Amino acid sequence: MIVSVAETAAPAAHAAMPKPSLVGRTRSGLAEALNEIGVPEKERRMRVGQLWNWIYHYGVRDFAAMTTIGKGLRAALAERFSLDLPEVTAEQVSTDGTRKWLIRMAPTGPRDRGAEIECVYIPEMDRGTLCVSSQVGCTLTCTFCHTGTQRLVRNLTTEEIVAQLMVARDRLGDFPNRSAPDGAFVPNDGGRFVSNIVFMGMGEPLYNFDGVRDAIEVITDNEGLSLGRRRITVSTSGVVPQIGPLGAEMGTMLAISLHAVRDELRNELVPLNRKYPIAELLEACRSYPGLSNAKRITFEYVMLKGVNDSDAEARELVRLLKGIPAKINLIPFNPWPGTRYECSDWDRIERFSEIVFRAGYASPVRTPRGRDILAACGQLKSETEKLSARARLMLDQDETAAAAQAAH
Ligand code: SAH
Ligand code: SF4
């Protein structure tokens, strides 16, 4: 059941271009902004530090609140830039506390209404996980994934990736001197509302390598958002040449969308497999920088009825992963309108997970979260581009029935 829904009107078609926002910028991006308004180079480093603190530590939305910065400079900044966050056009809160935000990015030109992406927040007892997107849509065409059916594709900028965390913390009241909104999950161990980030929303993060790398740089900076690199997981469908560089340059946790144990089937489910087959992918995993028992690779395996869920496949999965410090995540397939797949039956998933468990892997089947609001990672924004927000929300409600059915 959806317990709360908010939506806002669409912007006018030819609205004036908004001032560029400083939120989401890297340190060098902020230095550029200061350069544009004529701040001398020798002063810039110190000013960047001040802006950084106000933007990322305090989350301020107004230059006037930046009291350590002189009035003249504040006015000059406000004249040219904003501290706007992308607009949340719809918010849904699930009965289990999962929140899904539909976020409209700032337009990139006068004819652009602004691309929309979804971002999901999943609160648990010991953590709060934010599922973020790296692209609008996806150029890959995994047959079980709704994102792969979307035509509109572009990389999100670094700012747009960081902004998803900023929006989440803003909506959860998770900045100093802010209070949590009603119904928000409040950690009782002094932890953060968002303690973990997974790149499991829309898009293939390793096809937007620089954008994701720079966003992680901002997110992990100790003087701002301060998330540990081990609390960030980048999920890839298997872009083999970028896996080593991901470990070396980003140092995050790695998740691999495996989904099949034979090339023939994986070619069909994850067409990128034709370019980088299973053996090459697992080789890249074996040499992932920093790999150890404390830093395991997560292998995602979506449970598709009668397609990849036999006992023999469970045994083959275990055999393939031998020697790789790994976790296995069995994901119940989340159906979408028009899909040819069904989710495996519950007893089949249990049987599969038992084989994996007996081989020494804790294989928690991810409890479907936010099913009532169609919030599963990997199945975010659907092909509802042309629908109004209201029609879109009604569509989501209709899909609730199918999702619930699949979960039982
Ligand atoms: N492109 C990246 C990250 C985004 S998809 C990747 O493929 O890894 C995040 C995860 O959700 C992937 O494991 C993906 O296979 C899975 N997924 C996609 N569609 C799904 C669906 N309908 N039900 C369950 N999981 C799905
Ligand atoms: Fe793209 Fe990942 Fe979906 Fe495949 S599963 S289409 S790579 S988002």
Side-chain angles (χ1 to χ4, degrees), residues 137-142 144-148 201-204 237 257 259 270 378:
C138 185
T139 50
L140 297 169
T141 49
C142 303
F144 55 89
C145 173
H146 207 182
T147 305
M202 287 165 77
E204 170 49 57
S237 56
S257 295
H259 307 319
V270 184

Side-chain angles (χ1 to χ4, degrees), residues 144-145 200-201 203-204 235-237 257 259 300 302 333-334 377-378:
F144 55 89
C145 173
M200 292 187 185
E204 170 49 57
S235 173
T236 179
S237 56
S257 295
H259 307 319
E300 296 157 280
V302 63
F333 170 62
N334 205 359
C377 291

Side-chain angles (χ1 to χ4, degrees), residues 332-346:
F333 170 62
N334 205 359
W336 37 276
T339 179
R340 68 178 107 144
Y341 300 108
E342 284 175 79
C343 183
S344 308
D345 295 330
W346 201 250

Side-chain angles (χ1 to χ4, degrees), residues 71-252:
K71 275 195 179 150
L73 180 53
R74 275 190 261 159
L77 284 164
E79 173 81 12
R80 185 77 161 258
F81 302 104
S82 79
L83 293 169
D84 289 346
L85 290 173
E87 186 189 359
V88 173
T89 52
E91 174 177 58
Q92 296 180 4
V93 183
S94 161
T95 40
D96 68 13
T98 300
R99 279 161 194 258
K100 181 168 85 169
W101 296 289
L102 191 60
I103 301 177
R104 181 158 43 221
M105 298 303 173
T108 51
R111 287 181 174 278
D112 180 8
R113 281 185 74 231
E116 280 183 332
I117 55 128
E118 285 187 4
C119 184
V120 178
Y121 169 68
I122 306 156
E124 288 170 280
M125 279 319 286
D126 60 342
R127 74 186 72 181
T129 304
L130 190 69
C131 179
V132 299
S133 296
S134 55
Q135 298 183 306
V136 180
C138 185
T139 50
L140 297 169
T141 49
C142 303
T143 46
F144 55 89
C145 173
H146 207 182
T147 305
T149 65
Q150 274 180 235
R151 272 176 305 142
L152 181 74
V153 181
R154 75 164 170 88
N155 279 342
L156 290 175
T157 63
T158 294
E159 291 81 358
E160 290 170 330
I161 297 171
V162 175
Q164 295 170 68
L165 174 58
M166 295 296 284
V167 163
R169 291 197 43 187
D170 196 65
R171 300 299 277 208
L172 297 170
D174 188 20
F175 280 112
N177 313 323
R178 304 262 191 98
S179 54
D182 284 349
F185 170 79
V186 181
N188 55 13
D189 58 359
R192 299 227 84 111
F193 293 84
V194 178
S195 61
N196 294 60
I197 291 186
V198 292
F199 281 81
M200 292 187 185
M202 287 165 77
E204 170 49 57
L206 297 190
Y207 275 179
N208 183 12
F209 192 91
D210 292 358
V212 168
R213 180 197 54 213
D214 292 352
I216 288 174
E217 214 47 60
V218 175
I219 290 169
T220 54
D221 189 293
N222 276 336
E223 285 161 29
L225 295 161
S226 301
L227 242 87
R229 287 179 192 267
R230 295 220 172 171
R231 290 182 171 269
I232 300 176
T233 301
V234 175
S235 173
T236 179
S237 56
V239 186
V240 165
Q242 301 289 19
I243 290 178
L246 165 70
E249 295 180 41
M250 302 188 214
T252 62

Side-chain angles (χ1 to χ4, degrees), residues 381-399:
K381 188 166 171 305
S382 44
E383 43 178 33
T384 51
E385 230 74 76
K386 297 190 188 74
L387 299 180
S388 70
R390 188 166 296 282
R392 199 157 45 214
L393 292 166
M394 281 167 62
L395 179 70
D396 278 3
Q397 283 172 3
D398 286 344
E399 285 163 345

